[in-house]
Amino acid sequence: MRFHRMFVCALLAVFMLMSAEEAFAGRRNYTLTGLKKPGADKSTKPGGDGKDAEKPFAELIKDRVAIDGLFTFYLDTNSNAVYMSIKPDQFGKVYLCGTTISKSDGAFFDNGSMSDTYPFYFKRVGKKVMLMEKNLRLRADTSSTLHKAVASGISDALLASFKVESKPDTAGAILIDPTSFFVRDAENISYFLGQMGQTALSFDKENSYYETIKSFPMNSELDVRLHYRTNKPQSGVSLQNGMSMYHTYHYSLSAFPESDFVPRIADDRVGHFLSIYQDYSNLDTESPYVRYVNRWHLKKKDPSAAVSEPVEPIVYWIENTVPHEYRDAVKKGIEFWQPAFEKAGFKNAIIAKQMEDTATWDPADVRYSTVRWIIIPGGTYAVGPSRANPLTGQIYDADIRVGADFIRAMYNTMEKWIAPVAFDGSVAQENPEIQAALDKMRSEHPHFCDYESQSATEAAFGLNYVLTNMDDFADKDAVTKEYVNAYITELVAHEVGHT
């Protein structure tokens, strides 16, 4: 049953989630713990008196806490209500939104899961502000006559719309209440898990709320606590009472990084993760598709040297959730790739740093790439996703997740090898339904990787082989520890390799 849940959890996660220290410590960061429905206090919410007219900007933000940054937010800590300020020059400008489940339920989803990443912009139409997803999948150079044709023939998508709540301030900025976008059923769990998964789980807006909001010059970071409930108790899962679960959903709103990064056209003779779009600047090419390699921005400190340290290395932070006894193994797995980069002319191109136990930054923040230890009972898998600038293919964030139950499953699988029954280590092959679901997932998702489940079986067999062939007087505990750490290093190296 445990292994059945392991694969079901992994399947649900894939289907539903497809797809430097605190640099500005002086910024004000606030954690909101009130459970009131955002905007429920009519004394602090515009329109509570039934009037639609915009009120003065200064009047609406009076007695609220201002969090300045890329976007400025104004918080009423009593009612958990939020206003978001949009300046005149922020309308029409394209930004990036990256979403992550930073805390999860432990039954269906794993914490740290990267979700959608997309370009967006704000557009004002009369008394409304529209949040639009920019279509970058079809493009044409502005110098091409087809640029206008693309602009008129391809639609952007509406993500949300908000009423203009205030009159402009002295700088022309206006206020909106962004709650309908941030505090919502972000992953459509009510449908996918509630209806399709037949759990009857549904989004409970009344008990969902803003948790933490931070803002910095180049990015704004928001955590919202989302509640899901059901009248159909869930059995056989790790929910406390089977009728309620919370997710913390993290939004990273960031400006496009400005750099001299030059996109690299992919070569179809070599495998890469790609950023793809169709180019209609010219029609005399065999295919409209342009494929950029997703890669990090590495520049030599000394361009004339055959091997040089980079101006800025690739940094992976080992999250403080990783058990102390495995941190050295994780570090070795990250820095395993240094010799490969040296072949390309970079020394110390990729380095590991340890997140302090007292660190105040959030691993879901797009400024930090991390290796995270996740808890999802029975979920023995690891994944190495990354985010890239859709305009260039430049990778700017990667968060690797390793299931904590990996080690326990390794021992359990080893016991099955020892047991006097025929068992090939594959739970999927024991269950035709799971095997069929995995086959379907592999066919539909070209980036699907089941290395971790296969390698766990191999590692268990290998450990059993080593221990059963050792001298009776050998320190088997020490050998087991060495073997497990070597396996973790290999696993982390594999997932870092994906990025």
Side-chain angles (χ1 to χ4, degrees), residues 165-187:
E165 302 283 3
S166 74
K167 297 176 181 178
D169 67 0
T170 55
I174 55 92
L175 295 173
I176 62 171
D177 179 353
T179 302
S180 61
F181 176 72
F182 291 120
V183 186
R184 62 187 174 93
D185 187 0
E187 295 285 354

Side-chain angles (χ1 to χ4, degrees), residues 25-59:
R27 291 286 167 187
R28 288 195 244 177
N29 305 324
Y30 290 86
T31 299
L32 308 178
T33 56
L35 285 174
K36 292 183 180 180
K37 178 181 177 182
D41 188 343
K42 291 186 178 181
S43 65
T44 60
K45 180 177 174 61
D49 56 3
K51 297 180 180 180
D52 293 328
E54 296 91 353
K55 293 184 177 180
F57 191 105
E59 179 182 331

